[in-house]
Amino acid sequence: MAKAKKITAALTAALLCTASLTACSDTSYVMTVGDSKINAGIYIYNELTEMSYQMTMMYYQNGIKKDYFDQKVDGKAFDEYLSDYALTATKEYAAVVDKFNELGLTLSDEDIKSINDSISSTWDSQGEFYESEGISKESVKLALKGSKMREELFDHYYAEGGEEAVSDDEMVKYLDDNYLRYKSISFAKTKASTDSSSSATDSSTDSADAANEEAKAKRDEFLEKAQGVSFDDFDSIIDEYNDYVASKKATDSSSATDSDSSASDSSTTSDDTSSVAESDTSSTASDDTSSVSDSTAESSSAADSDSSTDSSSSEPDPYANEKMANYGAMDDSQKDTANGKILKEVSGMSTDVATAYEDDNAYYILIKGDVKDRDTEYAKDNHEDLLKEMKSDEFQKKLTSWVEKLDIKVNNKAIKRYTPKVVYDKQTEYYSKKNNS
């Protein structure tokens, strides 16, 4: 009798699944929040967007062009990381919409128009691709609206007039406590060329050593000129350095032309080709470092290549040669990069004292400025970026708490269906067909 009841129950469940796909096999939604369903397209969109970003980073940072799923991100296998990211991002989307509505906030007509314009443009160029992935136009629109709502919620709390608005004094103090202000000149090191077995030859090693000795000597020459020069007046040293670089490149270019036009010259190696100019004094050999003319730093905020002068103005930018970097916000792994080590050196320096520094990439002259001489102006010019730096972690904690309060039920069938590998394979198939058509 008990066995018969079990069979009857199983048959009943099977019939219910057949009659109601929503209950048993509907993968058009990825989760429910109370009585509302979240489109699976939003989850896939989050998954696809992060996948594209991480693949781009793998290429630019490590030259990886394939075997992405053999890699790890944040200590997790690539597919696991993407699944976790997409699920978290989709839950946060739900929490943002819920909190936005709870507070009675609305998007402006201008915001809605901007979103609609973006959707139209995206769909003209990529609509067919998104649909091949199972992402509808409506899902992309909802995702973009969610992103804008998130920005508005952040401002609701921290922007001027917000519930927990950041004062000008607080922002200036944040700058003083965390930022470094500095200028630099770099003379790139030359690395020995390798033979077919990827080992440096004796001649190339000798040549590289000679070039590096000359680069170091030239760095020391400029360092001597910079002794007693203030941070502000260091621009004159930079100007002289840039003139030197331009002159050296012109000389090398001329020498190369002369060499090409002379049979006797082409059979010998000029001493000039192993000079400091050959190692390029305008930039270092690593993306983690930069020349004065680049005026950027890896650990700097989004506003580090800042200028308080309008680009259309004829007035020169008084800060063109300097960098502002948020050293205080860097974690240990960031501080262990080439750029992080430069900033560590700067942090321990006295202001207005030109100092020699070297790493595997280059020989440097560094000089530290006083952040307090610029903090008020910098805070005003870079208010929004600084606000995000100061409050992003705090806002994330709020967002996490909102997620935890929601009645979220995940549709695991949808999660298992729209795996990162499936999304990737569909992308590969789509572009393969498109390229062959």
Side-chain angles (χ1 to χ4, degrees):
M1 186 67 179
K3 184 175 181 180
K5 287 183 177 180
K6 289 181 179 179
I7 293 173
T8 300
L11 288 172
T12 300
L15 288 170
L16 286 172
C17 282
T18 302
S20 177
L21 290 174
T22 298
C24 298
S25 59
D26 186 358
T27 56
S28 65
Y29 70 98
V30 74
M31 64 181 65
T32 59
V33 183
D35 296 329
S36 301
K37 293 178 180 178
I38 306 298
N39 293 350
I42 296 175
Y43 173 84
I44 303 169
Y45 178 83
N46 289 329
E47 197 170 38
L48 180 64
T49 302
E50 183 66 11
M51 179 187 296
S52 298
Y53 171 76
Q54 291 297 338
M55 285 163 54
T56 300
M57 290 299 99
M58 287 179 189
Y59 172 72
Y60 281 111
Q61 293 177 355
N62 301 304
I64 295 171
K65 300 180 182 179
K66 58 181 181 178
D67 300 328
Y68 301 109
F69 286 85
D70 293 337
Q71 311 305 317
K72 288 189 174 183
V73 178
D74 291 348
K76 295 181 180 180
F78 190 43
D79 57 349
E80 180 186 1
Y81 166 82
L82 290 173
S83 294
D84 289 349
Y85 174 89
L87 186 59
T88 298
T90 308
K91 288 180 178 180
E92 289 180 353
Y93 160 82
V96 162
V97 174
D98 181 75
K99 179 59 70 171
F100 191 86
N101 292 332
E102 177 190 318
L103 293 173
L105 303 178
T106 57
L107 295 179
S108 68
D109 291 342
E110 184 180 349
D111 290 335
I112 296 298
K113 182 181 184 304
S114 176
I115 290 170
N116 287 335
D117 288 346
S118 179
I119 289 293
S120 295
S121 175
T122 297
W123 225 250
D124 286 343
S125 60
Q126 293 184 285
E128 185 180 317
F129 165 64
Y130 280 127
E131 288 175 346
S132 75
E133 288 282 7
I135 304 171
S136 69
K137 192 174 186 178
E138 179 63 17
S139 289
V140 176
K141 183 176 181 179
L142 290 172
L144 294 182
K145 286 180 69 175
S147 295
K148 187 59 184 177
M149 288 178 180
R150 184 169 179 153
E151 292 176 12
E152 293 296 316
L153 279 170
F154 183 90
D155 289 344
H156 172 80
Y157 286 101
Y158 305 117
E160 184 178 357
E163 290 186 12
E164 303 168 31
V166 176
S167 70
D168 293 340
D169 288 344
E170 287 178 302
M171 190 166 285
V172 167
K173 185 178 186 306
Y174 177 81
L175 275 169
D176 294 343
D177 291 345
N178 293 279
Y179 268 66
L180 295 175
R181 182 185 181 198
Y182 71 106
K183 298 174 183 176
S184 66
I185 294 175
S186 63
F187 298 80
K189 289 185 175 180
T190 299
K191 295 182 179 180
S193 59
T194 58
D195 58 20
S196 58
S197 64
S198 297
S199 59
T201 62
D202 290 341
S203 59
S204 67
T205 299
D206 290 344
S207 179
D209 288 345
N212 289 334
E213 283 298 319
E214 187 169 350
K216 183 176 182 296
K218 183 58 67 175
R219 188 278 311 272
D220 292 344
E221 179 185 323
F222 274 88
L223 179 63
E224 181 64 28
K225 296 177 181 180
Q227 296 308 302
V229 175
S230 69
F231 180 78
D232 289 341
D233 292 339
F234 191 75
D235 285 348
S236 64
I237 304 298
I238 292 174
D239 289 342
E240 186 176 346
Y241 161 83
N242 288 334
D243 289 342
Y244 161 75
V245 171
S247 174
K248 200 68 176 173
K249 283 185 175 179
T251 300
D252 289 346
S253 177
S254 176
S255 297
T257 301
D258 291 343
S259 178
D260 289 339
S261 63
S262 170
S264 59
D265 288 344
S266 64
S267 64
T268 61
T269 302
S270 168
D271 291 340
D272 287 342
T273 61
S274 62
S275 71
V276 62
E278 182 71 14
S279 65
D280 185 8
T281 58
S282 64
S283 64
T284 68
S286 169
D287 288 338
D288 287 335
T289 57
S290 61
S291 71
V292 170
S293 57
D294 289 336
S295 193
T296 58
E298 178 184 294
S299 66
S300 306
S301 71
D304 285 343
S305 55
D306 60 277
S307 170
S308 61
T309 304
D310 191 290
S311 59
S312 63
S313 171
S314 59
E315 291 295 322
D317 178 6
Y319 308 117
N321 290 325
E322 68 180 63
K323 304 163 192 170
M324 292 279 284
N326 191 349
Y327 182 64
M330 295 177 73
D331 59 28
D332 289 343
S333 63
Q334 291 171 319
K335 289 180 179 179
D336 197 41
T337 63
N339 188 69
K341 291 175 181 177
I342 289 175
L343 295 178
K344 181 179 180 180
E345 178 73 13
V346 173
S347 69
M349 290 166 47
S350 299
T351 58
D352 295 303
V353 179
T355 304
Y357 175 75
E358 116 180 47
D359 59 19
D360 292 339
N361 303 308
Y363 302 98
Y364 303 85
I365 301 173
L366 305 172
I367 188 166
K368 182 180 180 181
D370 191 341
V371 173
K372 292 182 179 180
D373 290 342
R374 190 187 172 190
D375 53 10
T376 301
E377 182 181 4
Y378 189 88
K380 180 181 178 181
D381 292 340
N382 302 280
H383 182 87
E384 289 188 12
D385 291 318
L386 287 170
L387 193 60
K388 290 175 183 176
E389 287 183 23
M390 293 176 68
K391 293 298 181 179
S392 287
D393 288 345
E394 185 177 311
F395 181 72
Q396 183 60 49
K397 289 179 182 178
K398 288 182 184 293
L399 184 48
T400 300
S401 71
W402 300 339
V403 170
E404 292 171 349
K405 292 176 183 177
L406 292 180
D407 177 23
I408 296 177
K409 292 183 175 61
V410 175
N411 182 1
N412 289 315
K413 289 184 180 295
I415 300 297
K416 291 178 181 178
R417 178 179 178 183
Y418 306 115
T419 66
K421 191 63 168 63
V422 167
V423 171
Y424 175 77
D425 287 344
K426 283 186 177 181
Q427 175 180 264
T428 302
E429 180 182 1
Y430 173 82
Y431 283 110
S432 177
K433 288 181 178 178
K434 193 171 183 66
N435 291 333
N436 292 327
S437 61

